Amino acid sequence: ERLQDQIRKLRRTHQSFGEEVRRLMGTSLLHQQEAWRKAVDDLRARANRMETTYPNCKTWRNHWDVQLYKALEVQYREGLETLHS
């Protein structure tokens, strides 16, 4: 049962990261920089805590770094379009 609990915890954490990254895709980097900064700091802190519990999660962390980069890219492009409109 302990393994099942760990799997559930990992699944919930993974889903919550996805929800946060999706939310950031819709959060203006141009107008809400502090919200971005806070969310990224929170995601990093949570990932650091996961690494202390599960030291072999480098691939998982890299996956979320890439997803976060994609969200940043979406908002960066939208910001540029806003500035050039």
Side-chain angles (χ1 to χ4, degrees):
E1 187 172 343
R2 178 174 149 83
L3 179 60
Q4 281 294 87
D5 292 340
Q6 287 183 349
I7 291 170
R8 282 188 203 102
K9 178 183 176 185
L10 290 170
R11 187 178 302 129
R12 280 193 307 270
T13 301
H14 189 79
Q15 288 173 336
S16 70
F17 268 61
E19 290 166 3
E20 186 66 19
V21 170
R22 280 189 295 277
R23 188 185 67 75
L24 285 172
M25 283 190 176
T27 301
S28 172
L29 182 60
L30 186 62
H31 301 291
Q32 297 175 301
Q33 292 177 11
E34 189 56 37
W36 258 88
R37 195 170 291 123
K38 185 178 180 222
V40 169
D41 288 347
D42 178 60
L43 287 170
R44 285 182 180 156
R46 290 169 56 200
N48 288 340
R49 285 193 301 272
M50 288 297 290
E51 281 186 317
T52 60
T53 306
Y54 305 99
N56 294 326
C57 66
K58 184 174 176 73
T59 303
W60 177 81
R61 182 151 190 176
N62 287 340
H63 166 77
W64 286 113
D65 285 344
V66 169
Q67 301 312 307
L68 189 56
Y69 177 80
K70 289 176 185 178
L72 179 63
E73 184 178 26
V74 164
Q75 282 306 312
Y76 181 76
R77 288 176 187 245
E78 285 187 18
L80 286 176
E81 289 173 10
T82 300
L83 291 174
H84 290 290
S85 300

